[in-house]
Amino acid sequence: MPRLVMKFGGTSVADLERIHNVAHKVQHEVDTGYQVVVVVSAMSGKTNELVGWVGEAAAGPDANAPGFYDAREYDAVVASGEQVTSGLLAIVLQEMGVQARSWLGWQVPVKTTSAHGAARILDIPSENLDAKFDEGMQVAVVAGFQGLSEEGRITTLGRGGSDTTAVAFAAALDAERCDIYTDVDGIYTTDPRITQKARKLHKIAYEEMLELASLGAKVLQTRSVELAMRYKVRLQVLSSFSDEPGTLVCDEEEIMEQNAVAGVAYVRDEAKMTLISVADRPGIAAAIFGPLAEAGVNVDMIIQNISEEGRTDMTFSCPVEQVPLARKAVEEAKAQGEINYHALESDTEVAKVSIVGIGMRSHAGIAQKMFKALSDDGINIKVITTSEIKVSVLVDRKYMELAVQSLHDAFELDKAS
Ligand code: ADP
Ligand code: ASP
Ligand code: MG
């Protein structure tokens, strides 16, 4: 029998009424003739609540910064939201006469690394599920976001990780498709919450979606797109609340025409940190960024400016909640004499805005057009980085929405190519 993976996010399973709605969609696919794996998230808001409780239980200085409590226990707590929804959906499906069973990460098992809070899936052996499907199970309701480490402990895959659970199951079980049901009816040129001009895309290339996701478009977790690209999973994003056709994530070759820029993404809560006047010598970057990496700080953009004779300023960006962690790592490196600097400045009021498009490879002048559009709206650019198919800038957070709208207009993303 052909197999299908369906994934439902937090808003789609937010209460029992919505779980019933999900069950009807699943039943429809069972009636069509599929063996179905349904991956569920926790009810919307639940994971945030659980993360908050962990922070409070570990209260102390900087208790909110990851790394200040035992990450194994963080996972034990935050994985619990998905246990509830997987059991509830299995019950509702059973009530409808569907042979359904819930599966937690450890029961499958979803084998992961031991990087608690950001574990990577290593393998999903399919024997246990195969055996149950052979015995007549029609639907496996899998708790998303969670797995099992080699040490036998519960792990989680990072926020938004249920998308990755879904794609990994689609690859492991050779599913015909992986359908990601969410609260928007597809992938748009930018977050439709930021501008009404955002346009739904029929198709988007894996590579573009990968960049958009890693630059903040949370409609899909980055790792899920990476896996879909590697294992050629047909990935579709569509709405739980309507029957509109969604967006297919596919190979570049399947897309006939496209704009130079496919979309605009943003990360609202970024911070910019600058070490003023560090010695400009071989090894200085390694001496600064080594301790930051060891502390688990996700450094993103980096710029180095020669200031005065033999001295340099080093600027980097990271998520705003990691500023205390970054400060601690840098200050400790200074105390140990590994680096020296005059001052450590942080600007916690910035956001990152990026444009992405495969077409940039063959179109000149895209970055210049971006800078002009921002300057026409009076938005100052604080840091710039580019790669083959993206340009990112840091701007003051208060201008983030305006920057997204201005770029969406400048590249006429509301119009199809
Ligand atoms: P779920 O709980 O279903 O996983 P998420 O909240 O993680 O849903 O992701 C869906 C949200 O992603 C949408 O509500 C939308 O605000 C946001 N989003 C950001 N960028 C985009 C985009 N380019 N296209 C569609 N949605 C986007
Ligand atoms: N519940 C988890 C989160 O909120 C995983 C997910 O929804 O994908 O991050
Ligand atoms: Mg999500």
Side-chain angles (χ1 to χ4, degrees):
M1 264 172 112
R3 286 178 173 170
L4 184 68
V5 174
M6 306 170 79
K7 179 259 173 178
F8 293 89
T11 37
S12 310
V13 293
D15 53 39
L16 283 177
E17 198 185 321
R18 291 191 178 175
I19 290 176
H20 273 92
N21 170 53
V22 166
H24 283 110
K25 288 202 179 273
V26 174
Q27 187 183 35
H28 174 75
E29 299 294 1
V30 171
D31 292 346
T32 312
Y34 285 107
Q35 283 179 344
V36 182
V37 172
V38 190
V39 174
V40 286
S41 291
M43 292 181 182
S44 60
K46 193 70 206 171
T47 310
N48 285 344
E49 182 183 47
L50 295 168
V51 170
W53 285 349
V54 171
E56 280 176 42
D62 300 325
N64 282 326
F68 288 89
Y69 43 72
D70 188 321
R72 287 162 294 195
E73 305 311 339
Y74 167 93
D75 277 351
V77 176
V78 304
S80 66
E82 274 73 7
Q83 176 161 350
V84 174
T85 46
S86 59
L88 289 173
L89 179 57
I91 293 171
V92 172
L93 283 165
Q94 287 170 7
E95 292 290 315
M96 290 164 61
V98 177
Q99 301 291 314
R101 181 62 62 210
S102 68
W103 294 80
L104 299 179
W106 64 268
Q107 292 172 307
V108 175
V110 178
K111 296 185 176 174
T112 74
T113 61
S114 310
H116 286 277
R120 289 166 81 90
I121 296 178
L122 296 171
D123 187 26
I124 303 180
S126 66
E127 294 84 61
N128 290 340
L129 285 179
D130 287 342
K132 291 293 174 191
F133 276 127
D134 288 347
E135 285 172 20
M137 178 178 70
Q138 295 172 299
V139 177
V141 187
V142 170
F145 181 50
Q146 52 174 262
L148 181 70
S149 72
E150 278 154 3
E151 290 79 27
R153 300 214 64 91
I154 293 169
T155 55
T156 63
L157 310 179
R159 298 306 305 272
S162 298
D163 298 329
T164 301
T165 307
V167 175
F169 271 85
L173 299 178
D174 207 15
E176 209 173 275
R177 250 185 12 249
C178 181
D179 290 343
I180 306 281
Y181 287 87
T182 181
D183 56 4
V184 278
D185 59 4
I187 296 162
Y188 281 69
T189 46
T190 193
D191 187 345
R193 288 176 209 268
I194 301 286
T195 168
Q196 286 187 341
K197 290 188 186 168
R199 177 174 54 88
K200 186 164 83 181
L201 299 163
H202 298 298
K203 291 182 178 180
I204 185 166
Y206 289 119
E207 263 189 88
E208 285 173 333
M209 192 59 232
L210 189 59
E211 284 285 357
L212 284 172
S214 74
L215 294 167
K218 71 166 186 165
V219 60
L220 287 173
Q221 199 198 32
T222 309
R223 179 90 178 118
S224 72
V225 188
E226 227 170 76
L227 284 181
M229 187 158 133
R230 168 140 26 112
Y231 295 102
K232 293 271 175 275
V233 172
R234 279 188 95 70
L235 184 61
Q236 201 179 199
V237 174
L238 60 176
S239 167
S240 303
F241 308 108
S242 79
D243 293 321
E244 293 287 309
T247 303
L248 181 71
V249 190
C250 60
D251 274 325
E252 195 179 332
E253 290 73 36
E254 283 189 56
I255 304 172
M256 294 293 283
E257 282 181 77
Q258 54 191 14
N259 295 328
V261 173
V264 184
Y266 63 87
V267 181
R268 187 183 301 272
D269 295 314
E270 287 285 282
K272 177 168 85 75
M273 300 190 77
T274 303
L275 282 79
I276 307 284
S277 190
V278 290
D280 188 14
R281 58 166 172 83
I284 187 65
I288 295 169
F289 294 105
L292 285 167
E294 273 161 35
V297 177
N298 296 315
V299 171
D300 181 20
M301 301 161 137
I302 297 175
I303 41 172
Q304 184 179 351
N305 281 319
I306 302 302
S307 50
E308 58 207 67
E309 190 65 24
R311 313 295 294 179
T312 178
D313 292 346
M314 193 73 88
T315 297
F316 63 92
S317 68
C318 69
V320 84
E321 77 268 13
Q322 290 189 336
V323 167
L325 203 62
R327 187 169 277 284
K328 187 164 167 258
V330 170
E331 283 169 355
E332 276 175 13
K334 185 181 186 186
Q336 286 160 12
E338 287 159 23
I339 53 173
N340 202 350
Y341 54 84
H342 287 174
L344 175 59
E345 290 177 352
S346 50
D347 178 354
T348 55
E349 297 293 323
V350 294
K352 181 168 72 167
V353 178
S354 310
I355 55 171
V356 170
I358 285 174
M360 281 187 207
R361 287 187 195 133
S362 50
H363 286 71
I366 300 288
Q368 191 274 340
K369 190 167 172 179
M370 176 184 197
F371 305 151
K372 169 100 176 38
L374 295 174
S375 96
D376 285 350
D377 277 328
I379 302 169
N380 188 32
I381 300 171
K382 301 189 151 192
V383 178
I384 302 169
T385 53
T386 66
S387 78
E388 202 187 18
I389 66 162
K390 68 126 207 248
V391 185
S392 299
V393 294
L394 278 192
V395 299
D396 278 329
R397 189 171 307 134
K398 61 178 183 248
Y399 296 129
M400 191 200 80
E401 275 90 356
L402 178 62
V404 170
Q405 287 156 3
S406 145
L407 296 173
H408 200 271
D409 286 347
F411 290 99
E412 299 183 18
L413 299 188
D414 54 330
K415 301 190 185 94
S417 62

